[in-house]
Amino acid sequence: MKQMNEGRFFEDFRLGETIVHATPRTLSEGDSAVYQALYGTRHLLQSSRPHAEKCGFKDRPIDDWLVFHIVFGKTVPDISRHAIANLGYAEGVFHAPVFAGDTLSAVSEIIGVRQNANAKSGIVMVRSTGHNQHDETILRYVRWVMVLKRAPDSPAPETHMPVLDKVVSAEKLHAPRGDFNQWDMAAAGSTRAFDDFKIGERMVHGGGMTLEEAEHMLATRLYQNTAQVHFDALAQRDTRFEKRLIYGGHMISHARAMSFNGFENACLIAALNGGKHVAPAFAGDTVYGWSEILDKAEIANRKDVGALRLRHVLVKNCGIEALVDCQPDDPAVILDLDCWVWMVRS
Amino acid sequence: MKQMNEGRFFEDFRLGETIVHATPRTLSEGDSAVYQALYGTRHLLQSSRPHAEKCGFKDRPIDDWLVFHIVFGKTVPDISRHAIANLGYAEGVFHAPVFAGDTLSAVSEIIGVRQNANAKSGIVMVRSTGHNQHDETILRYVRWVMVLKRAPDSPAPETHMPVLDKVVSAEKLHAPRGDFNQWDMAAAGSTRAFDDFKIGERMVHGGGMTLEEAEHMLATRLYQNTAQVHFDALAQRDTRFEKRLIYGGHMISHARAMSFNGFENACLIAALNGGKHVAPAFAGDTVYGWSEILDKAEIANRKDVGALRLRHVLVKNCGIEALVDCQPDDPAVILDLDCWVWMVRS
Amino acid sequence: MKQMNEGRFFEDFRLGETIVHATPRTLSEGDSAVYQALYGTRHLLQSSRPHAEKCGFKDRPIDDWLVFHIVFGKTVPDISRHAIANLGYAEGVFHAPVFAGDTLSAVSEIIGVRQNANAKSGIVMVRSTGHNQHDETILRYVRWVMVLKRAPDSPAPETHMPVLDKVVSAEKLHAPRGDFNQWDMAAAGSTRAFDDFKIGERMVHGGGMTLEEAEHMLATRLYQNTAQVHFDALAQRDTRFEKRLIYGGHMISHARAMSFNGFENACLIAALNGGKHVAPAFAGDTVYGWSEILDKAEIANRKDVGALRLRHVLVKNCGIEALVDCQPDDPAVILDLDCWVWMVRS
């Protein structure tokens, strides 16, 4: 019997190669509703059409992380089918909003390869771009993954690993469309605005969330992400973890939803500076979140929004009380995400 | 680390105070689809657009209980974040239908406060109103909850508890929009119409439904309801029940969906006279429903619909055979709901 | 207490009788989104609106199997409420595409009855038709089920069982609307086209999927399918299987989604020649799929698509390696489905 679509092993990636990923995907209000049910997000701009219109948008923009997951999902069959680990993200910039009815496509360029010392695997670094049906860039980010080799004795490619920006500098952010001068803080749930946040401040978001198999699988299939580790419990039995791994992006979306408490006026995501899935999450785990304000940046000619650089940390199974003293190197940490968000100014 | 949005304790509520709740929410056909998947409802008016149009509606109205849950969900962060129990509902009246594209907001007035004898908690009674983007009232109801005090030694407020109507009198119902003279009973699934129901009659709806963690959490997040008891299994371990409590409204929607068998032509909800979550429901429970006809009322100038007052009772884990002799005080009862529905006349 | 809507027992079916099923159902993009989350389908025509438009469709057609399940679901309360087993399908033909906004209704004709030797049950065969709001036929298929008798001593009806076509002959297929000459194989994920497939070829689709209670129940309620065996775990405890049975159609949709790997350009379903739910599936099972090419047919005046007759086989709990030698009579097989699909040519 024929095995279909094996996907690329480490030695199949060529530096500089561009891969156009399959299956463009039209997003609808239905996708947003399923996403709502999965994470319980409450940010005003994505929740209320009249308020989005008041800010100059034609409709509620689709949640930025839903957009990210859709783009990410397209890259999986080509990039990470034989990945052992998703190692990191960098230089992620959100360019333009997406609305119900838009169609997303994705393309990736191979920008780095390095074989591991054991010759059994190697690291592949790609820059992926999502664009809409008008070929407008929506999102661009770098990720790197550890990918199995097909054969340990196949020759190692020449090592090339670009040096990436640790942080997207504020000048490289794409200022958000729309005008937030008419933003309704009461409707958004808080008057905490850009000027109220201090660098170094940390806040606990409250709200533990226990994870379920059905939920992370619904999410991952919604994103057309086909990575088998999320779906096949039988195959996972023989692995180190012995159970299905939850797609890391599922945790990013939970972190964003939790961060509503404290960042009610963080209307959009501006950039993904970096992120680490420090440890895997499994069904049955209960996750909690806290955030730290890493930096702030005003944007030229915009008095309505500023950029807030946040570290979102998710921990698991520790109980919410433990968060008061939680540090990023706590063994309970599962996600350490560094991003810029657009925060409304008073 | 800072704790965000603590929510109101008992002593934070002021009689007569009005609270505008955060995050208006635009509903879409996507929300109705998720709702359909959660409860399996089959009422014609909400299921078929051409039949809704034949009755003079511009589209399928969104399920009344979905609307209720959305409004209810908005009140949770302000009213019941520190609630120990949701004690009851009264004087609930559905004013106008909601369609995909409408945006719901909610506001509550504190109409009653009474400290408990133990000084550790008190009862807060609120009248909540949901309105749409045109400031049209959609729904208004009273509920009362037991809320923790922040400190037992803080002074007790003056007790004030209004006397509520036991039942919404038929004259106070808002006659449904539309015209049901062209209602298609064959398409609706039954010819049992208003005149066929007798006061005192009881009927078993058939159909046990086993509850799942993933499902009630999807529902509760869809409603943007943030009550932690539904989500955080770890925190619940130290409570009396030792597990996640299912949002009571989830059970109301199951009761409504089950009641299709017998009340196929109950096209809309008219009023919520009262309701008690007699006992909590948990994942793994199997629930069954029966209903009793408590009253009937004809409506001035309307030959197409009448009001039927129903008691919906949900029981758990008893098997369907036990329903034949089931009484409202049966220990298996978890929900005892008293509402008026609009029933099509022949 | 009154038992509502008992449904038909074997002796209630009359040969030649036509049953108009209740509750027409308007489908929306929300339904497609929930379906996407349930199965993770990636076929281009259903995923991307611009690509559907390029083929002459006004929008993405709704997944054919979602349409099938909706029509099937309508027939359940009338046909299979007291079914012991769903025995088979035949002569299923997909006539026309369905789009978001369309409303589906269903009608069935009783075309066969035969009492079983034990006089406790009998076989009922029906031809069901789904049509849209313009009374256009969407789908027509035959299925037969074993239905309980109300009383063993009630008289047996005269046996009549029509002889059905083993396969829908290619001339009876309804050539798909649209024009696939502009089909974008790169966007669809593969260049394997009609001419690349050989009769007798078998392929493993990869991708095990572990089944969850919440997921199959969400699916089955989405389809307004009310068969109690899928929902009531308590009642199932006393049955042979001791747990909820998964709706067979849920497995058909998983088989279709898996078959993307290998049949990326199989844009639409043409016919359901036959199908057997060889064994039940339960939550916790992990399923895998392989397919065999049974036949090919060119269609008059169409150079853009051809018909490919496929056998989709689903197996459970064997691990993907076991599929290499899997035969249709393997004890792990749970679904053996024979259908025609429309495959894009070069």
Side-chain angles (χ1 to χ4, degrees):
Chain A
M1 224 181 280
K2 224 164 147 178
Q3 292 277 353
M4 304 313 300
N5 289 3
E6 280 211 321
R8 282 172 176 79
F9 288 90
F10 177 68
E11 51 269 73
D12 301 325
F13 291 95
R14 297 278 162 270
L15 193 69
E17 184 188 9
T18 292
I19 302 172
V20 179
H21 304 297
T23 326
R25 166 93 149 79
T26 304
L27 286 166
S28 76
E29 291 193 309
D31 297 300
S32 288
V34 176
Y35 192 83
Q36 173 68 55
L38 286 165
Y39 306 106
T41 43
R42 287 178 294 148
H43 287 91
L44 180 63
L45 189 66
Q46 289 75 25
S47 182
S48 168
R49 181 171 177 150
H51 288 85
E53 288 174 343
K54 226 187 281 183
C55 297
F57 294 91
K58 65 176 181 181
D59 196 353
R60 303 182 280 169
I62 286 179
D63 193 285
D64 293 310
W65 291 116
L66 170 50
V67 169
F68 176 85
H69 300 324
I70 294 285
V71 171
F72 186 102
K74 311 231 142 309
T75 71
V76 167
D78 296 315
I79 305 299
S80 44
R81 192 171 172 87
H82 297 290
I84 309 162
N86 196 28
L87 299 171
Y89 309 100
E91 298 187 2
V93 179
F94 291 80
H95 289 236
V98 174
F99 300 98
D102 284 351
T103 301
L104 297 178
S105 305
V107 64
S108 296
E109 191 194 351
I110 312 304
I111 62 170
V113 289
R114 183 177 66 212
Q115 182 167 307
N116 285 333
N118 65 10
K120 289 182 182 162
S121 59
I123 291 170
V124 177
M125 182 178 279
V126 299
R127 187 180 302 275
S128 299
T129 304
H131 47 264
N132 67 14
Q133 70 277 19
H134 308 300
D135 264 327
E136 208 181 354
T137 296
I138 290 299
L139 166 71
R140 179 168 288 164
Y141 67 96
V142 171
R143 75 161 166 141
W144 54 107
V145 288
M146 193 182 297
V147 180
L148 278 176
K149 284 185 76 180
R150 183 179 281 111
D153 54 352
S154 58
E158 200 174 336
T159 291
H160 178 86
M161 274 289 154
V163 178
L164 300 170
D165 294 343
K166 283 239 157 59
V167 181
V168 176
S169 70
E171 307 84 57
K172 289 191 180 165
L173 301 177
H174 286 241
R177 313 256 169 113
D179 172 349
F180 294 85
N181 281 301
Q182 303 305 315
W183 185 254
D184 182 343
M185 295 214 178
S190 167
T191 57
R192 260 187 308 275
F194 185 74
D195 294 330
D196 299 322
F197 293 98
K198 287 184 197 62
I199 294 172
E201 208 175 7
R202 289 185 177 184
M203 42 187 78
V204 174
H205 298 304
M209 186 63 71
T210 302
L211 307 172
E212 299 292 327
E213 300 284 12
E215 292 181 357
H216 76 82
M217 295 204 299
L218 286 168
T220 309
R221 286 183 302 239
L222 183 72
Y223 311 143
Q224 296 180 316
N225 179 329
T226 58
Q228 283 310 305
V229 290
H230 310 312
F231 299 116
D232 185 335
L234 191 61
Q236 289 302 108
R237 258 191 234 164
D238 303 326
T239 65
R240 176 156 71 104
F241 299 114
E242 299 183 348
K243 44 195 164 178
R244 282 167 277 183
L245 298 178
I246 292 182
Y247 164 50
H250 189 56
M251 306 321 302
I252 294 177
S253 289
H254 273 306
R256 165 72 177 165
M258 285 179 182
S259 77
F260 176 83
N261 271 331
F263 303 108
E264 294 84 353
N265 294 307
C267 55
L268 289 163
I269 310 297
L272 171 57
N273 295 310
K276 251 192 117 157
H277 300 294
V278 180
F282 306 105
D285 287 343
T286 300
V287 297
Y288 303 88
W290 62 267
S291 298
E292 179 180 355
I293 294 151
L294 295 177
D295 202 358
K296 295 176 69 168
E298 305 201 5
I299 298 298
N301 306 316
R302 293 293 289 259
K303 294 288 167 218
D304 57 338
V305 288
L308 213 58
R309 187 180 157 209
L310 300 178
R311 164 182 241 159
H312 289 311
V313 178
L314 278 191
V315 297
K316 73 177 192 183
N317 303 337
C318 58
I320 195 163
E321 300 75 16
L323 267 58
V324 177
D325 306 311
C326 186
Q327 298 298 324
D329 60 355
D330 192 288
V333 169
I334 57 169
L335 174 73
D336 192 345
L337 194 75
D338 179 343
C339 56
W340 286 104
V341 299
W342 293 114
M343 176 61 68
V344 178
R345 304 183 75 165
S346 64
Chain B
M1 225 180 279
K2 225 163 145 179
Q3 292 275 355
M4 304 314 299
N5 290 2
E6 280 212 321
R8 284 171 175 80
F9 288 89
F10 177 68
E11 50 269 73
D12 301 324
F13 292 94
R14 296 280 160 270
L15 194 70
E17 185 188 8
T18 292
I19 302 172
V20 178
H21 304 298
T23 326
R25 166 95 148 80
T26 304
L27 286 167
S28 75
E29 290 193 309
D31 297 300
S32 288
V34 176
Y35 192 84
Q36 174 67 55
L38 287 165
Y39 306 107
T41 44
R42 287 179 293 149
H43 288 91
L44 180 63
L45 190 64
Q46 288 74 26
S47 182
S48 167
R49 183 172 177 149
H51 289 85
E53 288 174 344
K54 225 186 281 183
C55 297
F57 294 91
K58 66 176 182 181
D59 196 354
R60 302 181 280 167
I62 286 179
D63 194 284
D64 293 309
W65 291 116
L66 170 50
V67 169
F68 177 85
H69 300 325
I70 294 286
V71 172
F72 185 102
K74 311 232 142 310
T75 72
V76 167
D78 297 314
I79 306 299
S80 43
R81 193 172 171 87
H82 298 288
I84 309 163
N86 196 28
L87 299 170
Y89 309 101
E91 299 186 1
V93 179
F94 290 79
H95 289 235
V98 174
F99 300 98
D102 283 352
T103 300
L104 297 179
S105 303
V107 63
S108 296
E109 192 194 351
I110 312 303
I111 61 170
V113 289
R114 184 178 66 211
Q115 182 166 308
N116 286 332
N118 65 11
K120 290 183 183 159
S121 59
I123 291 168
V124 177
M125 183 178 278
V126 299
R127 186 180 303 275
S128 299
T129 305
H131 48 265
N132 66 16
Q133 70 276 20
H134 308 300
D135 263 326
E136 208 180 355
T137 296
I138 290 299
L139 166 71
R140 181 167 286 164
Y141 68 96
V142 172
R143 74 160 166 142
W144 53 107
V145 288
M146 192 181 300
V147 180
L148 278 177
K149 285 185 73 180
R150 183 178 283 112
D153 54 353
S154 59
E158 201 173 337
T159 291
H160 179 87
M161 274 289 154
V163 178
L164 300 170
D165 295 342
K166 282 239 157 59
V167 181
V168 176
S169 71
E171 307 83 57
K172 290 191 180 165
L173 300 177
H174 286 242
R177 313 258 168 112
D179 172 349
F180 294 86
N181 281 300
Q182 303 305 316
W183 184 256
D184 182 343
M185 296 214 179
S190 166
T191 57
R192 260 187 308 273
F194 185 74
D195 294 329
D196 299 322
F197 292 98
K198 286 184 198 62
I199 295 171
E201 208 175 7
R202 290 186 177 183
M203 43 186 77
V204 174
H205 298 304
M209 186 63 71
T210 302
L211 307 172
E212 298 293 325
E213 299 284 14
E215 292 180 358
H216 77 82
M217 295 204 299
L218 286 168
T220 308
R221 286 183 302 239
L222 183 72
Y223 310 144
Q224 296 180 317
N225 179 330
T226 58
Q228 282 311 304
V229 292
H230 310 314
F231 300 117
D232 185 335
L234 191 61
Q236 289 301 108
R237 259 191 232 164
D238 304 325
T239 65
R240 178 156 68 104
F241 299 115
E242 300 183 346
K243 45 195 164 176
R244 282 166 278 183
L245 298 176
I246 292 181
Y247 164 51
H250 189 58
M251 306 321 301
I252 294 177
S253 289
H254 273 306
R256 164 72 177 164
M258 285 179 181
S259 77
F260 176 83
N261 272 330
F263 302 107
E264 294 83 352
N265 293 307
C267 54
L268 289 162
I269 310 297
L272 171 57
N273 295 310
K276 252 192 117 158
H277 300 294
V278 180
F282 306 104
D285 286 344
T286 301
V287 296
Y288 303 87
W290 62 267
S291 298
E292 177 179 358
I293 294 151
L294 296 176
D295 202 358
K296 295 176 69 169
E298 304 201 6
I299 297 298
N301 306 317
R302 293 293 290 260
K303 295 286 169 222
D304 57 336
V305 288
L308 213 59
R309 186 178 157 210
L310 300 178
R311 164 182 242 160
H312 289 311
V313 178
L314 278 190
V315 297
K316 73 177 191 182
N317 303 336
C318 60
I320 197 162
E321 299 75 15
L323 266 59
V324 177
D325 306 311
C326 185
Q327 297 298 324
D329 59 356
D330 191 288
V333 169
I334 58 168
L335 174 73
D336 191 343
L337 193 76
D338 179 342
C339 57
W340 286 105
V341 299
W342 293 114
M343 177 60 70
V344 179
R345 305 183 72 166
S346 65
Chain C
M1 226 179 278
K2 224 163 146 179
Q3 293 275 354
M4 304 314 299
N5 290 1
E6 281 211 318
R8 284 171 174 80
F9 287 89
F10 177 68
E11 50 269 73
D12 301 325
F13 292 95
R14 297 277 162 274
L15 193 70
E17 185 188 8
T18 291
I19 301 172
V20 178
H21 304 297
T23 325
R25 165 94 149 80
T26 304
L27 286 167
S28 76
E29 289 193 309
D31 296 300
S32 288
V34 176
Y35 192 83
Q36 174 68 55
L38 287 165
Y39 306 106
T41 44
R42 287 179 294 148
H43 287 91
L44 180 63
L45 189 67
Q46 288 76 23
S47 183
S48 167
R49 183 171 176 151
H51 288 85
E53 288 174 344
K54 224 185 283 182
C55 297
F57 293 91
K58 67 175 180 181
D59 196 353
R60 303 181 280 168
I62 286 179
D63 194 286
D64 293 309
W65 291 114
L66 170 50
V67 169
F68 176 85
H69 300 325
I70 293 286
V71 171
F72 186 102
K74 312 233 141 307
T75 71
V76 167
D78 297 315
I79 305 299
S80 44
R81 194 171 170 88
H82 297 288
I84 309 163
N86 197 27
L87 299 171
Y89 309 101
E91 299 187 3
V93 178
F94 291 80
H95 288 234
V98 174
F99 300 98
D102 283 352
T103 301
L104 297 178
S105 304
V107 64
S108 296
E109 191 194 352
I110 312 303
I111 62 171
V113 289
R114 183 178 66 212
Q115 181 167 307
N116 286 332
N118 64 11
K120 290 183 183 161
S121 59
I123 291 167
V124 177
M125 183 179 278
V126 299
R127 186 180 304 273
S128 298
T129 305
H131 47 264
N132 68 15
Q133 70 278 19
H134 307 301
D135 265 325
E136 207 180 356
T137 296
I138 290 300
L139 167 70
R140 180 167 287 164
Y141 67 97
V142 172
R143 74 162 166 140
W144 53 107
V145 288
M146 193 181 298
V147 181
L148 279 176
K149 285 184 76 180
R150 182 177 284 113
D153 54 353
S154 59
E158 199 173 336
T159 291
H160 178 87
M161 274 289 155
V163 178
L164 299 169
D165 295 342
K166 283 241 157 59
V167 181
V168 177
S169 70
E171 306 84 58
K172 290 191 179 166
L173 300 177
H174 286 241
R177 312 257 170 113
D179 172 349
F180 294 85
N181 281 300
Q182 303 306 316
W183 184 255
D184 182 343
M185 296 214 178
S190 166
T191 56
R192 260 186 307 272
F194 185 74
D195 294 329
D196 299 321
F197 292 97
K198 286 184 198 62
I199 294 172
E201 208 176 5
R202 289 186 177 184
M203 42 186 77
V204 174
H205 297 305
M209 187 63 72
T210 303
L211 306 172
E212 299 292 325
E213 300 284 13
E215 292 180 358
H216 77 81
M217 295 204 298
L218 286 168
T220 309
R221 287 183 302 240
L222 183 72
Y223 311 143
Q224 296 180 317
N225 180 329
T226 59
Q228 282 311 305
V229 291
H230 310 313
F231 299 117
D232 185 335
L234 191 61
Q236 289 302 107
R237 259 192 232 164
D238 303 326
T239 64
R240 175 155 70 106
F241 299 114
E242 299 183 348
K243 43 194 165 177
R244 283 165 277 182
L245 298 177
I246 293 181
Y247 164 50
H250 190 56
M251 306 321 301
I252 294 177
S253 289
H254 273 306
R256 165 71 178 165
M258 285 179 181
S259 77
F260 176 83
N261 271 330
F263 303 106
E264 294 84 352
N265 294 306
C267 54
L268 289 163
I269 310 297
L272 171 57
N273 295 309
K276 251 191 118 158
H277 300 293
V278 180
F282 306 105
D285 286 344
T286 301
V287 296
Y288 302 87
W290 62 268
S291 298
E292 178 180 355
I293 294 150
L294 296 177
D295 202 358
K296 296 176 68 168
E298 304 200 5
I299 298 297
N301 305 317
R302 292 293 290 259
K303 294 288 168 219
D304 57 336
V305 289
L308 213 59
R309 187 179 156 209
L310 301 178
R311 164 182 242 161
H312 288 312
V313 178
L314 277 190
V315 297
K316 74 177 191 182
N317 303 336
C318 59
I320 195 163
E321 299 75 16
L323 267 59
V324 177
D325 306 311
C326 186
Q327 298 298 325
D329 60 356
D330 191 288
V333 169
I334 58 169
L335 174 73
D336 191 344
L337 194 75
D338 179 343
C339 56
W340 286 103
V341 298
W342 293 114
M343 176 61 70
V344 179
R345 305 184 73 166
S346 70

